Amino acid sequence: MVEHRPALFEQAGRGLLPPWAQASLFALVGVVNTAVDIAAFAGLVFFGLAPLMANLISFSLGALNSLVLNKTLTFRGTGARYSLRLVASFAVVTLVALTISQLSLAGMIALGQGHMTAKLVSVVFTFAVSFVLNKFITFRSAPRHG
């Protein structure tokens, strides 16, 4: 008896996912990254660190988590390997996202929003930019040889 599996499962087994599935998995990984980021941010602010410095540290912890999870889960089928190019491009994408995060956080605080509300709004601003840049720059498909 031959087992027929839908094409999506075949693709997922090889690590190849359609863009909508990658975006969904990126969002799920993003939830984990955001939990790390927000928990660290809340703890750092609670212990007296200024919000922008706390955001720098907490965002960096979430970004490190993002690199590992997105490399091993979301974009696993691209053939991207841990390399200087991968880490450098991830760092550039992360700096762009961090800049957006810092600017939106500062802007929301300047508009009178509380620290946690401002933090949550900043997450919304960074999601789309991070996905697009990571998909097409950091974890772009490696050229096939052979």
Side-chain angles (χ1 to χ4, degrees):
M1 182 170 173
V2 176
E3 181 180 332
H4 294 282
R5 295 179 3 174
L8 180 59
F9 291 110
E10 289 296 325
Q11 292 173 337
R14 293 190 314 266
L16 304 171
L17 297 172
W20 66 265
Q22 280 183 329
S24 297
L25 193 51
F26 187 83
L28 184 60
V29 167
V31 168
V32 175
N33 301 337
T34 302
V36 168
D37 183 3
I38 289 174
F41 179 81
L44 291 167
V45 169
F46 177 80
F47 286 111
L49 203 57
L52 290 176
M53 183 56 71
N55 189 56
L56 177 67
I57 294 167
S58 68
F59 188 93
S60 298
L61 291 172
L64 180 60
N65 188 65
S66 175
L67 174 63
V68 172
L69 291 181
N70 281 309
K71 164 70 178 86
T72 56
L73 297 174
T74 309
F75 302 109
R76 67 186 175 272
T78 65
R81 301 198 185 326
Y82 287 110
S83 65
L84 181 57
R85 189 211 63 82
L86 179 82
V87 173
S89 61
F90 183 81
V92 169
V93 166
T94 299
L95 286 174
V96 169
L98 176 59
T99 300
I100 292 167
S101 178
Q102 290 285 76
L103 290 173
S104 58
L105 180 72
M108 294 304 293
I109 290 171
L111 291 173
Q113 296 299 312
H115 296 138
M116 289 309 295
T117 300
K119 178 64 179 173
L120 293 173
V121 170
S122 75
V123 168
V124 172
F125 285 113
T126 61
F127 173 80
V129 171
S130 294
F131 175 72
V132 170
L133 293 177
N134 275 305
K135 177 171 178 54
F136 294 107
I137 295 174
T138 306
F139 298 106
R140 70 178 183 257
S141 292
R144 305 287 181 214
H145 298 285

